[in-house]
Amino acid sequence: MNFDLTVRNGIVATENDTFTADLGICDGTIVAIERRLKPGMGDIDAAGRFVLPGGIDSHCHVEQLSGMGLMCADDFYSATVSAAFGGTTTIIPFAAQHRGMALPEVIADYARRAAEKAVIDYGFHLIVADPTEQTLRQDLPQAIRDGITSFKVFMTYDSLKLDDYQLLEVLDLAKREGALVMIHAENNDMIRWLAQRMIEKGHKAPKYHAVAHSPLAETEATHRAIQLSRLIDTSLMIVHVSTPEAVRVIASSQALGVPIHGETCPQYLFLTADDIDQPGLEGAKFCCSPPPRDKASQDVLWAALKHGTLRMFSSDHAPYRFDETGKLPNGDKTTFKQMANGVPGLEVRMPLLFSEGVGQARITLNEFVALTATHHARTYGLYPRKGTIAIGSDADLAIWNPDAEVVLSASMLHDNVGYTPYEGRKVRGWPEVVVSRGRIVVENGTLQVERGTGQYLARGTPKPVAAPREARWSPNTGLFQFPREAMQAPE
Ligand code: DUC
Ligand code: ZN
Ligand code: ZN
């Protein structure tokens, strides 16, 4: 067989297996996985490299207007280029409805902008901020039928938040129509009340953002969201989980058999609230919602990823420049309430997890693949086209040099943010060649494709990956343990 492209001599890993094999690719699809294939018209020598599924980043904000009316710094070109350089070959950003907007127009607008600019494949989630009769009865069911099978709702931000009644309506609709609801779980009034006290006392610096967004606000909202979904008897994705208590609430629901799913992000594994405590407004570069917490929280989140309470690792890339367009709308007078919420992370998501997760033996290579690609594909209706290496799957690949040492800095990244919260951090392991539908997108440190060559992905029914039954929360240690019987080898 004549292949368009072969990837030979590499170590291939999927969520379950690791093996040495050559890949043959025709028309953008993997058509052969064998030893000793003949080279195709294009040929990549992957000796000494890991050949992994291209990453899927199912939580990122691109060319999106925030609740505060601030536009993201990345458009669909810079965001997808940046994602590709970090080993990601599919993104699922949001088409964001604001109050008064009709969903069909929102979707058409994002679709047009993405089609012109994206260099890798993409789908959309919706943000539903205005669940009117028209939205709930007509527009949302239609969007789901058209392949936008998941949507995010907020429990905080005055301009975006839904009340509990509205959340129930949205959950009910999602259950009926076969969609998945993603929820931003923070108690709006707790945050508002704390922030008001802070501002009254003259505490306006970025570090007070982390005080106002108390862990208790996340615990309360996470618990409430889960009870709302139990009332409807449907599943729910809790996004950007940041605290041990939220993990415990999710784990105890899962232990009852409730289909609650959870995601965490780099900022909760690699940053803490201490990073926000910097002179002047510098700390704004580390402010996102929920905020980074502490070292003990990081340990619990690692354990939750390892043992399966949280099965998704996304960037929550929310790119805002350190100027009046984003972090400093009021110049040097900007208070923590006024700055844009969010940190960039599309390009560094996978290298950080590879280096600190696989490199430090916190997770296996197969768990890395699952957390960064396969679980996203299954959860959001893209599997098996995306998220794995199998005959018939799209040839979306990241070819990793596990020994490459890279010092992260804003100057080497491809987003349009101008800083990285991870400046100066060393990582080991980097995706040197990135392939999307059989097209080499990144090679030799350069982009090889044109803007607008990414394709829109209409998605199927979400199938979130359940937490393993044997994962247990230990109230004594606050960490996860496998029960003794699960640790024993079979007879
Ligand atoms: N929630 C997000 O998911 N991203 C950025 C800010 C926010 O509140
Ligand atoms: Zn959010
Ligand atoms: Zn987000």
Side-chain angles (χ1 to χ4, degrees), residues 59 61 152 154 157 184 186 239-240 289-290 316 318 341-342:
H59 184 164
H61 303 266
K152 184 178 177 191
F154 287 80
Y157 297 123
H184 180 129
E186 287 187 289
V239 294
H240 46 49
S289 296
D316 195 6
N341 273 316

Side-chain angles (χ1 to χ4, degrees), residues 5-6 20 29 44 53 72 87 90 146 160 192 218 269 354 401 490:
L5 179 68
T6 41
T20 303
T29 303
I44 298 171
C72 285
T90 300
D146 291 344
L160 294 173
R192 216 158 57 88
E218 187 173 335
L269 294 185
F354 186 91
N401 177 352

Side-chain angles (χ1 to χ4, degrees), residues 217-453:
E218 187 173 335
T219 310
E220 189 284 324
T222 303
H223 184 267
R224 181 158 40 101
I226 293 172
Q227 308 322 309
L228 296 175
S229 78
R230 289 179 71 193
L231 192 69
I232 304 289
D233 189 21
T234 191
S235 58
L236 185 63
M237 172 66 69
I238 315 273
V239 294
H240 46 49
V241 174
S242 76
T243 69
E245 283 207 31
V247 171
R248 184 172 54 73
V249 170
I250 294 168
S252 45
S253 304
Q254 290 170 345
L256 292 175
V258 181
I260 299 301
H261 310 282
E263 168 210 80
T264 194
C265 316
Q267 45 273 36
Y268 308 116
L269 294 185
F270 303 112
L271 303 175
T272 69
D274 288 345
D275 290 305
I276 309 179
D277 188 2
Q278 306 225 15
L281 291 170
E282 195 64 20
K285 293 178 179 173
F286 304 84
C287 283
C288 49
S289 296
R293 306 294 185 179
D294 58 10
K295 171 73 177 64
S297 303
Q298 293 179 346
D299 292 343
V300 170
L301 292 169
W302 275 112
L305 287 174
K306 175 72 187 169
H307 294 315
T309 296
L310 305 178
R311 313 218 89 188
M312 307 285 282
F313 186 72
S314 314
S315 69
D316 195 6
H317 181 78
Y320 296 102
R321 295 182 68 82
F322 192 61
D323 63 24
E324 69 290 346
T325 64
K327 291 292 184 183
L328 309 175
N330 229 354
D332 59 6
K333 305 260 177 321
T334 302
T335 72
F336 74 86
K337 281 303 283 175
Q338 295 163 331
M339 67 200 178
N341 273 316
V343 293
L346 260 177
E347 194 163 342
V348 296
R349 171 186 73 123
M350 295 181 73
L352 281 168
L353 192 72
F354 186 91
S355 184
E356 288 300 311
V358 182
Q360 299 301 316
R362 291 180 169 110
I363 57 172
T364 66
L365 184 62
N366 308 100
E367 287 163 346
F368 173 79
V369 169
L371 287 166
T372 57
T374 320
H375 288 171
H376 301 254
R378 291 183 187 280
T379 296
Y380 292 115
L382 290 172
Y383 188 86
R385 178 174 173 193
K386 303 287 190 190
T388 192
I389 294 177
I391 304 279
S393 294
D394 280 0
D396 288 2
L397 307 168
I399 300 166
W400 287 72
N401 177 352
D403 300 318
E405 295 197 342
V406 175
V407 179
L408 301 179
S409 83
S411 60
M412 54 153 307
L413 299 175
H414 298 80
D415 61 33
N416 191 31
V417 177
Y419 65 84
T420 167
Y422 310 100
E423 186 73 37
R425 206 174 284 238
K426 282 199 193 101
V427 294
R428 192 178 167 91
W430 198 266
E432 288 179 340
V433 183
V434 178
V435 176
S436 156
R437 273 180 291 104
R439 306 169 304 142
I440 296 177
V441 177
V442 174
E443 193 174 34
N444 301 323
T446 55
L447 185 71
Q448 309 281 335
V449 295
E450 296 297 318
R451 62 169 59 219
T453 52

